[in-house]
Amino acid sequence: SVREQVSPEEWQVRVDLAAAYRLVAMFGWDDLVFTHVSARVPGEGRNGEHAFLINPYGLYFEEITASSLIKVDADGKALMDSPFPVNPAGFVIHSAVHEARHDVVCVMHTHTVAGVAVSAQEDGLLPISQQACFPLASIAYHGYEGLALLDAEKRRLVDDLGTANHLILRNHGLLSCGRSVADAVLAMYRLQRACEVQIAAQAGGRLTTVPQPIFDGIMAQSLEVSKGMGSRLMWPGLLRRLDRHNPGYAV
């Protein structure tokens, strides 16, 4: 079994990442098989380079398990046998972030209707809701260059991302990253919900914006509300939801 071939640390990341894929499906953020989530493999990498886990291209997200995830090196070479290939666009985007951001464990990318709709708006994400305040504290934008297939785009993408944890890919979709799988899921949840609220609000009347002093203090307030736990507050509950509605990811 795969579990017997990997370290306990890698297995735990595999379980968390498989859960993240199932959550993407449960929330309706998937786009058939065409988006991707990745996680850095703890303690591995050839010559100090990164190795990471990504989805087997062709499995739907509600089908992904810890064992089915593909481990690839910095060149996209599979480090364990798998009957499935890797999404080439997924490799370009995720390898770029993992190579440049050693603080990042997990990277999520989605093509949701609300996310793509906001990505197509010239002004991007607007400070019009409490939900938007969180991603706006750490957000960046990257211009559309077509399907992400060329290594030449990797440098421009990571330069645009910088140290941000949320990225809006113009005319394309959303990206989040975090120091854990749970962090990346929470970042994407907040960004996705902010986009949904924006599209709904724009269907109504004139919009109001969050005053700057409130915006400036929102992250400190968030730490207080979450008791300093951040994503660790909500992650166990999300796993319990999966266990009720779509178990079987941790195999």
Side-chain angles (χ1 to χ4, degrees):
S1 69
V2 171
R3 185 170 189 171
E4 295 172 342
Q5 300 177 55
V6 303
S7 68
E9 293 79 12
E10 177 178 333
W11 182 252
Q12 184 58 58
V13 172
R14 283 177 171 270
V15 170
D16 287 343
L17 185 58
Y21 274 104
R22 301 275 184 120
L23 288 168
V24 168
M26 188 174 74
F27 290 145
W29 297 347
D30 49 346
D31 181 18
L32 296 179
V33 299
F34 299 115
T35 56
H36 14 84
V37 190
S38 67
R40 187 185 300 273
V41 177
E44 285 204 16
R46 189 195 64 227
N47 299 324
E49 295 174 341
H50 60 279
F52 63 89
L53 302 164
I54 197 165
N55 57 305
Y57 196 26
L59 284 185
Y60 281 80
F61 287 8
E62 66 265 24
E63 300 175 310
I64 288 177
T65 64
S67 297
S68 69
L69 293 161
I70 300 177
K71 178 161 59 173
V72 297
D73 66 12
D75 299 319
K77 178 183 177 182
L79 300 177
M80 297 178 69
D81 291 337
S82 173
F84 294 93
V86 172
N87 182 332
F91 173 75
V92 168
I93 291 172
H94 290 263
S95 64
V97 178
H98 285 298
E99 182 177 1
R101 291 281 300 274
H102 298 289
D103 60 313
V104 167
V105 169
C106 182
V107 181
M108 303 189 71
H109 173 50
T110 62
H111 300 155
T112 62
V113 173
V116 176
V118 170
S119 78
Q121 296 184 5
E122 185 175 355
D123 292 332
L125 188 64
L126 302 174
I128 60 171
S129 67
Q130 176 171 282
Q131 288 80 2
C133 290
F134 302 108
L136 282 172
S138 179
I139 199 164
Y141 293 85
H142 174 63
Y144 187 61
E145 299 188 27
L147 298 181
L149 298 174
L150 302 178
D151 281 346
E153 185 178 357
K154 293 169 69 171
R155 175 47 52 194
R156 293 185 290 273
L157 188 148
V158 297
D159 284 347
D160 288 337
L161 176 64
T163 60
N165 290 324
H166 308 82
L167 181 69
I168 293 181
L169 295 95
R170 296 284 191 185
N171 311 102
H172 185 171
L174 308 177
L175 183 145
S176 70
C177 51
R179 294 178 180 272
S180 66
V181 173
D183 281 354
V185 170
L186 179 58
M188 181 59 74
Y189 182 88
R190 287 170 163 172
L191 180 56
Q192 169 65 22
R193 185 53 59 93
C195 290
E196 293 170 352
V197 170
Q198 179 167 321
I199 297 303
Q202 288 172 325
R206 296 178 60 187
L207 302 178
T208 60
T209 59
V210 176
Q212 190 63 42
I214 295 177
F215 177 83
D216 291 341
I218 199 71
M219 295 311 295
Q221 293 177 0
S222 175
L223 287 173
E224 183 176 352
V225 168
S226 68
K227 304 297 183 181
M229 295 179 65
S231 65
R232 292 179 290 116
L233 182 65
M234 59 84 188
W235 187 244
L238 286 177
L239 297 183
R240 292 193 299 272
R241 287 186 67 183
L242 275 183
D243 290 337
R244 290 192 298 272
H245 300 290
N246 190 8
Y249 57 92
V251 295

